[in-house]
Each structure stands twice: as structure tokens, then as C-alpha cells.
Amino acid sequence: MKKLLILPLSLLLALLAGGALLATIDTEQFKPLLIDKVRQSTGRELRLEGAIGWRFWPSLGLTLERVALSNPTGFSEPDLIRLEHASASVALLPLLSRRLEIGEISLQGAHLLLETRKDGRNNLEGMTQSPPAEDPVPPTDAGISQTKAGTDDGATRWQIQLGGIALEQASALLIDQRSGRRLAIDELDLTLGGADGEGWMPLTWRLFAKEQEGQYRLTGQSELRPGHALADTALRRLSVEGSLNRGPLKIEAFTLDAESLALTTPSPLTLTLKGGTGFARLTCG
């Protein structure tokens, strides 16, 4: 009987100890860390208008309310992305050493604006700028990005590590001012993992989009390596499948595969199409 009681008592003590630790940590101090990390990584301003709180189920984590990431000036809306709620898993033990290790960040109900102006500039340019010089921080084994932020009184610095990002039940609007085209993505689920030692990040997505002329469904997976400009961004191990219905063009199903894909270099592609009149398989590159 005593052995049967040891396990639940140990779990209870662990929960009480964890709760006592969290009670001593003011989550509002994480705001400048997160804002600084996003600014270094993207060159954009992160707005955290709501409170940051602890989450205890289904895992330990943080919750954020009313979050937005800014657009550069000169675009239709002030924000590239905005959302009402976000949550992120957090490792408990590193908190004892003033390290905030964040796993996957889940963004629920986010709305994105992806826009290209008449001069060809788009609001994703510059988001992979090199961060300013800072005190060196040892790399982690998992290749997760890391930064430091201090308090005004010079107290021991917190370190922050960020993992991947997941968009759940998101929506997006794509605007091309050069052609006047507007594409609404009503259903968007996307997961972007942390980068490995070479900068490649696993990427998966599922979306349903529509415009006046038609509608599209896409699912896919790949690995993404962002560049300083869109032309420098690369994909590898790309696999896409979906359907397309746009005016007289009706494709019941298609697949697109590429071992590597970049805008500045020729890339072999394999495209398979199935329509109302038959089946076709094309390889180019």
C-alpha cells in the first residue's frame, strides 16, 4: 500500500514545487525578451497588447492575448499578422537557471496580409535580416534560435530560446497591386519547425483559397531556408498535392514534386495532372 502512495505523492509534490516556482516569476518581464527576439530575427515590431499568463494543461506553457506583427510603411494594413490568442509550451527546469525555453508556438485564429505593391515590393522582404551584433550565446544542440535580454537594474539576464510556429484555423489575404488580384485564403493550417544547423526548417501546410475566378485546395510539405531577400529563399524535398477550379480550367487532382527549388537557379520539377479528359505527367528542368 505504501508503494502505491509514493507515486501520487511524488507527483503532487512536484506540482506544488512547480507551482511555487512559477508564482515567483513575473511573466510580464518576458514581453521585452520576446519583442527584442522578434525584432532581431525579422526587423519588425511585435505588439503584445494583452497579458502573458501561465498555462498548466495539457502541458506547461505561456498564453498571450492580442498579438500583432507590424508591416513596413506603405502597405494597405499596419500589420502583417494579427491574432487574438497564442500559446507556447515551456520547459520547467530551465526556468531555475533563468532560461525561457519555448517549444512550438501555436497561433489560433490568426489573420495574415501578404501584399505586393505596384513597385514590386512585398511585405515579406527584409524579414530575415541579419541581427545586430550582441554578446555571443552558445548554440544549442537542436539548432533553436537563442537571445539574451537584461533588466534595467543589471540583474542576471534571462535567455530565451524559440522553437517552431504553428498556425491553426488561420486566414490570409493576398493582394497584388500590380494586377489588382486579390486571393482570400479562408482555411489555413501551417507548421514551421525550428532550424537545423544549416538553417533548414521543416514546413507543412493545408489551405483552401478562393477568388472571383475560382478556388484551390493545397496540402504539402517541404523544408525552407529563408534568405535575406525572397530571391535567396530556397525549398527542398517539396511535395504538393491539391485541386484547382478556375474558369474553364478544372484539375481534379495534381501533384508537384521537387528535390530542390529556388528562384535564381534551374530546378527540376515533376508535375502530375488529372482532369476530366485524362491524365498527364510532366518532368521539366
Side-chain angles (χ1 to χ4, degrees):
M1 180 64 70
K2 291 182 179 180
K3 291 183 178 180
L4 294 176
L5 293 175
I6 290 176
L7 181 58
L9 286 175
S10 299
L11 291 174
L12 178 59
L13 290 174
L15 289 174
L16 291 174
L21 170 63
L22 298 182
T24 66
I25 299 175
D26 178 14
T27 54
E28 288 300 300
Q29 68 183 309
F30 296 146
K31 280 188 176 181
L33 275 74
L34 294 171
I35 291 171
D36 183 62
K37 177 59 184 176
V38 170
R39 185 186 296 118
Q40 291 182 30
S41 300
T42 69
R44 306 294 175 84
E45 291 300 316
L46 177 69
R47 296 200 313 276
L48 302 174
E49 299 174 354
I52 299 180
W54 290 111
R55 181 195 69 187
F56 297 95
W57 183 261
S59 62
L60 177 65
L62 293 170
T63 60
L64 300 88
E65 307 294 333
R66 301 191 303 279
V67 181
L69 183 66
S70 69
N71 261 328
T73 57
F75 289 87
S76 299
E77 297 182 10
D79 299 323
L80 169 66
I81 180 171
R82 62 177 183 271
L83 60 141
E84 290 299 316
H85 180 77
S87 60
S89 60
V90 173
L92 177 61
L93 291 181
L95 296 174
L96 295 170
S97 303
R98 298 183 68 83
R99 297 200 317 271
L100 179 61
E101 296 187 3
I102 297 176
E104 184 176 86
I105 302 174
S106 177
L107 310 178
Q108 291 94 30
H111 176 73
L112 295 85
L113 172 71
L114 305 177
E115 183 175 3
T116 301
R117 302 192 319 192
K118 290 183 178 180
D119 60 6
R121 282 193 61 202
N122 66 74
N123 59 342
L124 295 179
E125 291 181 2
M127 288 197 63
T128 54
Q129 65 178 23
S130 299
E134 60 175 28
D135 295 338
V137 179
T140 62
D141 293 338
I144 300 175
S145 57
Q146 178 172 281
T147 190
K148 291 183 176 180
T151 57
D152 293 337
D153 59 4
T156 303
R157 291 182 173 184
W158 277 87
Q159 295 181 5
I160 181 171
Q161 298 177 0
L162 299 180
I165 296 177
L167 293 176
E168 300 175 356
Q169 300 176 347
S171 62
L173 177 62
L174 281 67
I175 301 175
D176 190 337
Q177 294 184 2
R178 298 168 300 181
S179 63
R181 186 179 181 186
R182 299 171 66 92
L183 178 66
I185 301 177
D186 295 329
E187 302 172 15
L188 174 61
D189 294 312
L190 182 147
T191 301
L192 181 64
D196 63 15
E198 297 180 346
W200 291 98
M201 299 180 288
L203 173 67
T204 63
W205 68 89
R206 181 191 65 84
L207 65 87
F208 170 70
K210 62 183 179 181
E211 57 183 341
Q212 186 174 359
E213 293 84 3
Q215 59 185 31
Y216 320 86
R217 290 188 182 274
L218 292 175
T219 60
Q221 61 184 19
S222 183
E223 293 180 14
L224 170 71
R225 186 171 65 186
H228 293 291
L230 185 60
D232 301 323
T233 299
L235 294 171
R236 70 179 183 184
R237 300 169 186 166
L238 174 68
S239 177
V240 182
E241 61 182 39
S243 61
L244 184 152
N245 187 344
R246 191 170 191 267
L249 179 62
K250 293 178 173 58
I251 300 176
E252 297 176 8
F254 72 86
T255 62
L256 176 66
D257 298 284
E259 185 58 31
S260 63
L261 186 63
L263 295 178
T264 56
T265 57
S267 305
L269 300 173
T270 300
L271 176 64
T272 302
L273 304 173
K274 179 183 178 183
T277 59
F279 173 87
R281 182 181 179 88
L282 305 172
T283 300
C284 60

